[in-house]
Amino acid sequence: MPNFLLTVTPYLSNPLVLLVGFLAASFLMIWRLQAVEGKGFEGTLLGTLIMPYCSGFANLVLPLQIGASAVYFPDPRQAKEIGELSRKHQCTLLALTPTFLRFCHKRCDSGDFKSIRMLITGAEKLPVPLAEEFEQKFGFRPM
């Protein structure tokens, strides 16, 4: 076992350390999302509430920060329902992890995301082939 892990492991059992780490990662993601504010965003955010990922916390805070309305869905694995919400509420910003973006790519119709102007991914690296396939089907490229 690497020395770093041996040194850090006792601290990881402390819930306060885990909470501070989660909050620090969440605020870093929010800081990154401020680029949206700089572009003059107006519209509706469609997000999922997945709290194990920092993007769940960012989805809660981002609309307040940029003055947008928001639509949330609790289970990001139900891509068909996410697509229907996007179509129904004419959402303009979508925030998902690449794993859940893959579900949307497979299960949603090309018209479900016609109103989306910006798609933000986070919590994991966005594979280039997925971004290209998504762009071919829906007409815009995820960030």
Side-chain angles (χ1 to χ4, degrees), residues 28-39 62 65-66:
L28 283 173
M29 184 170 185
I30 292 167
W31 177 59
R32 192 183 94 193
L33 292 175
Q34 284 182 336
V36 175
E37 186 177 20
K39 290 185 177 185
L62 180 63
Q65 183 180 11
I66 64 175

Side-chain angles (χ1 to χ4, degrees), residues 28-85:
L28 283 173
M29 184 170 185
I30 292 167
W31 177 59
R32 192 183 94 193
L33 292 175
Q34 284 182 336
V36 175
E37 186 177 20
K39 290 185 177 185
F41 178 78
E42 291 181 6
T44 304
L45 166 81
L46 173 59
T48 58
L49 299 175
I50 47 173
M51 284 308 191
Y53 291 103
C54 298
S55 61
F57 181 72
N59 283 341
L60 289 173
V61 175
L62 180 63
L64 298 172
Q65 183 180 11
I66 64 175
S69 58
V71 176
Y72 295 110
F73 193 76
D75 188 357
R77 296 170 295 177
Q78 296 179 349
K80 195 72 174 158
E81 288 81 356
I82 291 172
E84 290 169 4
L85 276 176

